Amino acid sequence: MDFTNSSCGGSEHRQIEENKPLLGEMSATGGSKMGAVPCRRSLLHFSGMRYKLLQEGDIQVCAIRHPRTFLSKILTSKFLRRWEPHHLTLADNSLTSATPTGYMENSISYSAIEDVQLLSWENAPKYCLQLTIPGGTVLLQAANSYLRDQWFHSLQWKKKIYKYKKVLSNPNRWEVVLKEIRTLVDMALSSPLQDDSIHQAPLEIISKLLSENINLTTQEHESIIVAIAPLLENNHPPPDLCEFFCKHCRERPRSMVVIEVFTPVVQRILKHNMDFGKCPRLRLFTQEYILALNELNAGMEVVKKFIYSMHGPTANCPHPRVLPNVVAVCLAAIYSCYEEFINSRDNSPSLKEIRNGCQQQCDRKPNIPLRLLHTNPDLVSQEVTTTESRHKSVIVTSNEIHVEVERNNTVNQKLKANTGNDSEPNLIDCLLICPACSTISIELSPQAERVLACYVEILKMLSDYDDWRPALAILLQPIPFPKEALAHETFTKELKHVIQRFAEDPRQEVHSCLLSVRAGKDGWFQLYSPGGVACDDDGELFASMVHILMGSCYKTKKFLLSLAENKLGPCMLLALRGNQTMVEILCLMLEYNIIENNDTQLQIISTLESTDVGKRMYEQLCDRQRELKELQRKGGPTRLTLPSKSTDADLARLLTSGSFGNLENLSLAFTNVTSACAEQLIKLPSLKQLNLWSTQFGDAGLRVLSEHLTTLQVLNLCETPVTDAGLLALSSMKSLCSLNMNSTKLSADTYEDLKAKLPNLKEVDVRYTEAW
């Protein structure tokens, strides 16, 4: 059998591959041109059979001690000595047996193996290979030709890797070392073995070499990087090598090596990495690479093109790991900007202290009482003067907002209880930012400012991609930034673009992430609402968030209750300034009887009547209330069936024609009504049974019904387009005793959840569903 040593690559095919421009047509004006020099690499390819690297296995062993002159006579003889079965392990330094007896009593060091050959003599035993050692020969006999070749290539690989570890552990002349590195890379590329360690082992050897020799010139740095570049195309660099790459990015950000060699490496990391926690240096290398791109003449334009290259030209990014990895890099980089500031403080302030201006506990000033819309200018100016004299160069922006809104006694007691609580507070949900608050300016170093600007800009870029926005909103919930960043005006001002994009997105999975994840923890909605730590626009973003949330929130009444409890002041102020969304919010609060305190109701009415749009909408509300009272007046039928093919408009016209205060049974089966008719149905106070069989009534309508018709007992949804999203809302209708979900998109999990949460449910029809 003819065989050529894989390390020399004599009979292998050499193929020259020209890489695509790594960052497209990116170029930097007045400096190095991006992508101007194509990166060419000579790659060796093994064209024969492929094998897995052996670490251990069973094989027959025969050892022959002889002078070399008698070797041919012994090998051509018909009878060899006895064969011993052994389980051999290919360790890093030697070939050892699991049963160290007989021929393998002592392990065979790779340094002692002079040659490894396949036996090709005519009378030689089948499937044998020969290890030449000083003073003798060790023969290994496999079960078949494939196993023999697998053992042969594995032994060759282990022997050569052992040799390179020795050679590169004591470098003398770097030109020789560089030549050995290139030979090592060629050997790995041309090996017929297929295993992750085939490329990782050379990288680890070179990584160790670089970590032990830190005083290398820039030219030597770049020569080594170019030499190992082919191995990095399909492998992550080891931690020490990542450290070496980070150093090069920091010291030579404009080097063509950064663009031509590091770009495909970083792209592979972002596409395939599953957890930066297991290898944080990969994240650090990616972070330094992006900063190196930002140092080019084109700056953020180059970074933008890199992000575009990661997303791809299609509407949807084909690589699901790219976004989480980029966001992880951004979050770590942003945290690092404030790390020095955090560590510089012996006692880092809590979020509560930050919002109180980082004053000492014994030095806190009492809140300034302000009446809603009736501030005292003299008091404010006096407080400002006092504050300026006391705090000249302190450190964080105070976000404590001192405002008192007139509320009923219950709310006042609740506020007092919250004030006395020492736990981490919510963001202050008040109306006006008191200018008397002490301001502590967080001053970052120039380098930290550049890093912060770069990575916040990347978050803004990510939010501009429609397919990435839902996942980005989830990744930024709960708020993942340190409290010092949230108190930094520059950061929150730049991040506002991302939150604005969330607020403009009509998809519920996006804008619902503006709300807090759980009660007691602030979300983006609280941060950017008037009185929040990040609000700087008099409530425009707040109004935008409220508008989009009200349009899709299935817990409309619950959302209004939270606004009335926490954000009534901002809503009234914005309504007073003519904001139509807030005018609608105040009208809904009155319509749904959210506000119980008479004084507060009168104040809302006064606010509505102070603007033309508010006056018009309040008059419309009064008209609807009169119609509602007439509709709910006792009398009228107890049962009503709408003719087939009736529409939402027909139902509304019918219900406004008289009083239906006694209506208990309403059948809309086989009509053309949709979820829009839910606004009419919730006005029927006595409704107990509702038949929506074969209508277009969907999830949105179910959400409205679940909030208002809590006394409904019988509901027929047979052959309607409702799904789990709407059916889950029925869990709040505790009075339901009969529910027909025949031929809907009900799942088994949702059915089990409904059964657990509806204790009075006796009759259920789930035929022709997944739960059947």
Side-chain angles (χ1 to χ4, degrees), residues 433-500:
I433 299 180
C434 174
C437 297
S438 61
T439 58
I440 303 183
S441 59
I442 296 181
E443 295 184 3
L444 303 178
S445 65
Q447 175 62 18
E449 289 283 359
R450 287 194 294 271
V451 173
L452 180 66
C454 174
Y455 283 98
V456 173
E457 191 65 30
I458 291 176
L459 289 177
K460 292 160 70 173
M461 294 176 194
L462 299 178
S463 69
D464 290 334
Y465 288 94
D466 289 339
D467 61 314
W468 275 351
R469 204 173 299 132
L472 178 62
I474 294 173
L475 290 170
L476 296 185
Q477 185 193 42
I479 299 174
F481 302 105
K483 53 184 178 289
E484 288 76 12
L486 301 179
H488 191 196
E489 182 180 359
T490 302
F491 172 74
T492 54
K493 187 175 181 179
E494 290 299 319
L495 193 66
K496 182 179 177 181
H497 173 84
V498 179
I499 308 306
Q500 184 72 51

Side-chain angles (χ1 to χ4, degrees), residues 506-526:
R507 291 170 290 185
Q508 185 177 358
E509 64 267 27
V510 177
H511 57 250
S512 63
C513 291
L514 295 170
L515 298 172
S516 57
V517 178
R518 59 186 183 273
K521 292 295 181 181
D522 295 325
W524 297 113
F525 180 75
Q526 286 79 14

